[in-house]
Amino acid sequence: MKNKLSINEKKIKYTKIFLIIIIGLVSYFLVRNISIEQIKKWVLINNKWAAIIYILTFIILPIFFFPVPVIVVAGGSLFGLTKGSIYTFMAVIVNTTIMYFLGRFLFKDFVNSFVENHVSEKIKNALFSKNQKVLSLVLFIIRLSPIFSYNLVNYISGITEIKFIPYILTTIIGVLPGIIVFINIGENVLKIGSKEFFVSLLFLFILVIISAIISKLFLKDSVNKEN
């Protein structure tokens, strides 16, 4: 019986390693070969299904660590502020759900190792809190900031103690400002030099500053409460 369990554990371990390697290779290929213009061409292959193709693109590519701002800017350029925000928001809900469970059940050891070696002690202490309110606040702060990697946050959330419902609700609230800001940049990306383009960049700058201030004020407080 023990031998069977050991064999199964080894199979699971090797399967996880194989999947991590595949994701790594696909990620490398995607980052090197896909641009905003290529995403736009891809989405516009069939105008009738453009929204669906865009949503599926957003659901799939971040799993492979493709930079999300590139997709969102493409969405803004293709669909404008209102439709682009709606489509992106829909895709975010599905994508963050998938990546949360991948992080929790499939890549837990790998993500744990990454956090141990690459995340600061302050954030690490907050992330490994068992207090749902603290975790939700920390996740909200991280989600709000465009500086933190959307992809990594999805996977890292899966190894924390945060429950799925607080996770998805916090994600929805936290990413909304960033979605609107980057969609707005995408909508004006072809108007470089215009007032609209500079205003869209100003909104991004404001979001970075506000999220940094909130992070400094509340992240420290969250860690202190936990301690």
Side-chain angles (χ1 to χ4, degrees):
M1 186 69 177
K2 286 184 178 179
N3 288 335
K4 285 184 179 179
L5 286 173
S6 179
I7 291 170
N8 287 334
E9 286 173 358
K10 285 182 179 179
K11 285 182 179 178
I12 292 170
K13 180 181 178 180
Y14 290 137
T15 301
K16 288 180 179 180
I17 292 171
F18 174 74
L19 289 172
I20 289 169
I21 292 170
I22 292 298
I23 285 181
L25 291 173
V26 174
S27 301
Y28 178 78
F29 173 80
L30 291 175
V31 170
R32 285 182 63 88
N33 293 283
I34 295 183
S35 64
I36 291 176
E37 288 305 315
Q38 285 171 314
I39 291 174
K40 288 167 66 176
K41 287 178 183 177
W42 187 3
V43 171
L44 292 174
I45 288 173
N46 188 326
N47 285 332
K48 184 179 178 181
W49 298 98
I52 300 297
I53 295 170
Y54 171 73
I55 290 170
L56 289 174
T57 299
F58 195 110
I59 289 171
I60 295 167
L61 289 188
I63 294 172
F64 300 98
F65 288 95
F66 189 83
V68 168
V70 174
I71 309 173
V72 182
V73 168
S77 179
L78 286 165
F79 303 108
L81 183 60
T82 303
K83 288 184 178 179
S85 296
I86 292 170
Y87 298 152
T88 303
F89 189 66
M90 291 166 62
V92 162
I93 294 172
V94 179
N95 171 261
T96 52
T97 298
I98 293 170
M99 293 181 73
Y100 170 84
F101 286 110
L102 283 174
R104 175 149 296 190
F105 297 112
L106 200 57
F107 304 134
K108 190 170 186 176
D109 294 338
F110 175 78
V111 177
N112 260 320
S113 175
F114 177 87
V115 171
E116 284 296 326
N117 294 309
H118 297 92
V119 175
S120 70
E121 284 299 319
K122 183 168 72 171
I123 295 178
K124 198 187 301 180
N125 290 337
L127 284 172
F128 289 112
S129 167
K130 295 184 183 297
N131 186 314
Q132 292 296 308
K133 288 183 179 179
V134 170
L135 280 169
S136 295
L137 177 59
V138 171
L139 181 59
F140 169 75
I141 292 168
I142 292 173
R143 286 292 193 196
L144 188 64
S145 174
I147 295 171
F148 289 101
S149 166
Y150 166 93
N151 318 64
L152 280 175
V153 174
N154 287 345
Y155 282 128
I156 290 172
S157 296
I159 68 167
T160 69
E161 295 290 330
I162 192 167
K163 295 176 182 177
F164 177 69
I165 297 301
Y167 162 78
I168 203 68
L169 290 176
T170 304
T171 293
I172 288 169
I173 298 168
V175 301
L176 190 56
I179 287 174
I180 294 171
V181 165
F182 280 103
I183 287 287
N184 190 37
I185 290 173
E187 187 178 35
N188 296 295
V189 75
L190 297 179
K191 306 174 187 174
I192 294 175
S194 68
K195 183 178 78 172
E196 291 85 357
F197 180 73
F198 285 115
V199 168
S200 67
L201 292 181
L202 177 62
F203 284 142
L204 175 59
F205 177 74
I206 291 170
L207 179 61
V208 171
I209 296 300
I210 290 174
S211 61
I213 293 170
I214 292 174
S215 176
K216 189 171 183 180
L217 290 175
F218 291 99
L219 191 57
K220 183 178 179 181
D221 185 53
S222 297
V223 175
N224 290 338
K225 282 181 182 178
E226 184 62 20
N227 294 334

